[in-house]
Amino acid sequence: MPKVDATNDDPPLQRRSVFFVRLLLTGLLLTTAALKVLSPAESAAMAIAYNIPPFLTAMVVQAELALAALLLFGCRPRQTLFAAAVMFALFGAFSSYRGWAGYESCGCFGSFQVNPWITAALDGAMFLLAAWGAWKSPVDQHHELKRFYYAGGLYAVAGLWAAAGMISSASSSHEDATIGDTSGLVVLEPGTWIGKPFPLMSHLSPVVPLHEGRWTILIHHHDCPRCQEAVPQYERLAEAGNDRRIALVETPPYGEIALSEQGALRTRLSEDHEWFVQTPVEIQIDAGVVVGASLDLPAIAAEPLLVSQRGSGSESSSSLSTD
């Protein structure tokens, strides 16, 4: 069991306060690391959805476990608390960036979605506590070597367990071809669908006859500024008439837009899965087979007159969707 560090010149209340700060930081670091490892497939899918490199997630998990072990057993508390302050400052900067970029989650808690601004505020609070603890920790303190042995043993066990989980997650992300056999979180990567049957036909409500003729599909989210600009343009493109029918596919959670078969056909992805896809994305389909997919929205980019027109009823939103 970890001991409360004792020196002759430190007030007991201050020592206890620093001790509890260490425990709080240890608990948070162990929790976030465990959440990333205990649901490896969901964590890997979340990383893909939010453009977080898998190696970065693995490095963060190992750093969290190592620092938690050192904090728990009081190994050089001033230095480890300072390292914790630096780590939470970096976490706060990362969360703030993702909040500013409009992401719905920072990916810091594995498969659990937490608003980046909430995690940034939590990181800021932990930074202040860790900095205070480092400041109040004594400089000249007796360090028992066995504490490092205990910390090293804990990290060896936890680190190997985490590494095994992260390695297994590298091959456990959901494949588009097996969407019907999966449950929970599904990451959609339209760029990998080219030359294959459109994999979402059975997940649309109402059903769209995409196996017949040529289609331009826009997958969008209601709370996405770029989507709010693009949807009216695709509506006008459908009204103008071309050799492709237009389908607008909304991802859950849904907005208040009514489904319609006038102009562009509106449909929705069913709620039988939790979908993650970068929106808006345009997909070209010919007789049910995907022949193109692009985030550049080439159908409206090729129609400058339509692109230059803005629907006066279009609403704005402060968040960018990457479902």
Side-chain angles (χ1 to χ4, degrees), residues 93-171:
F94 180 74
S95 298
S96 298
Y97 162 73
R98 297 188 74 77
W100 173 80
Y103 288 95
E104 295 180 354
S105 175
C106 69
C108 306
F109 294 91
S111 60
F112 290 93
Q113 296 186 65
V114 180
N115 187 288
W117 294 117
I118 295 177
T119 56
L122 177 62
D123 292 333
M126 294 301 102
F127 164 77
L128 292 175
L129 284 175
W132 177 86
W135 176 44
K136 292 298 183 179
S137 293
V139 177
D140 297 324
Q141 184 172 6
H142 177 65
H143 302 293
E144 299 179 10
L145 189 59
K146 64 180 181 180
R147 295 190 181 199
F148 290 91
Y149 292 149
Y150 294 151
L154 175 62
Y155 171 68
V157 174
L160 287 174
W161 166 72
M166 300 304 289
I167 291 173
S168 68
S169 71
S171 59

Side-chain angles (χ1 to χ4, degrees), residues 36-284:
K36 295 182 185 76
V37 178
L38 288 175
S39 53
E42 287 80 2
S43 296
M46 181 76 74
I48 295 171
Y50 290 128
N51 300 315
I52 302 174
F55 77 89
L56 179 59
T57 302
M59 290 176 59
V60 168
V61 168
Q62 293 297 326
E64 288 173 333
L65 291 174
L67 187 55
L70 293 172
L71 286 168
L72 179 62
F73 290 100
C75 303
R76 295 190 177 276
R78 168 164 283 200
Q79 288 84 350
T80 53
L81 283 166
F82 177 77
V86 172
M87 176 176 285
F88 279 103
L90 294 174
F91 286 169
F94 180 74
S95 298
S96 298
Y97 162 73
R98 297 188 74 77
W100 173 80
Y103 288 95
E104 295 180 354
S105 175
C106 69
C108 306
F109 294 91
S111 60
F112 290 93
Q113 296 186 65
V114 180
N115 187 288
W117 294 117
I118 295 177
T119 56
L122 177 62
D123 292 333
M126 294 301 102
F127 164 77
L128 292 175
L129 284 175
W132 177 86
W135 176 44
K136 292 298 183 179
S137 293
V139 177
D140 297 324
Q141 184 172 6
H142 177 65
H143 302 293
E144 299 179 10
L145 189 59
K146 64 180 181 180
R147 295 190 181 199
F148 290 91
Y149 292 149
Y150 294 151
L154 175 62
Y155 171 68
V157 174
L160 287 174
W161 166 72
M166 300 304 289
I167 291 173
S168 68
S169 71
S171 59
S172 61
S173 58
H174 299 302
E175 295 291 338
D176 299 320
T178 58
I179 287 176
D181 300 325
T182 62
S183 60
L185 187 69
V186 178
V187 173
L188 304 180
E189 298 181 87
T192 66
W193 299 348
I194 298 175
K196 303 175 184 178
F198 183 63
L200 302 178
M201 288 190 189
S202 61
H203 299 277
L204 300 179
S205 179
V207 177
V208 181
L210 298 175
H211 60 284
E212 301 175 355
R214 305 172 68 191
W215 289 83
T216 295
I217 296 176
L218 178 73
I219 298 181
H220 66 97
H221 186 269
H222 79 278
D223 193 21
C224 157
R226 283 197 65 209
C227 299
Q228 292 171 350
E229 293 181 0
V231 166
Q233 297 172 27
Y234 279 86
E235 289 277 16
R236 289 192 287 271
L237 185 62
E239 293 170 359
N242 55 47
D243 60 343
R244 290 180 181 270
R245 297 187 65 185
I246 307 295
L248 305 177
V249 178
E250 183 182 8
T251 63
Y254 310 126
E256 301 297 327
I257 302 175
L259 301 182
S260 171
E261 293 189 9
Q262 296 181 354
L265 192 151
R266 290 182 179 270
T267 185
R268 288 168 168 169
L269 272 176
S270 62
E271 295 181 292
D272 54 353
H273 297 288
E274 184 179 0
W275 306 100
F276 281 83
V277 59
Q278 187 171 356
T279 59
V281 57
E282 177 186 309
I283 301 170
Q284 301 287 339

Side-chain angles (χ1 to χ4, degrees), residues 54 125 321:
S321 173

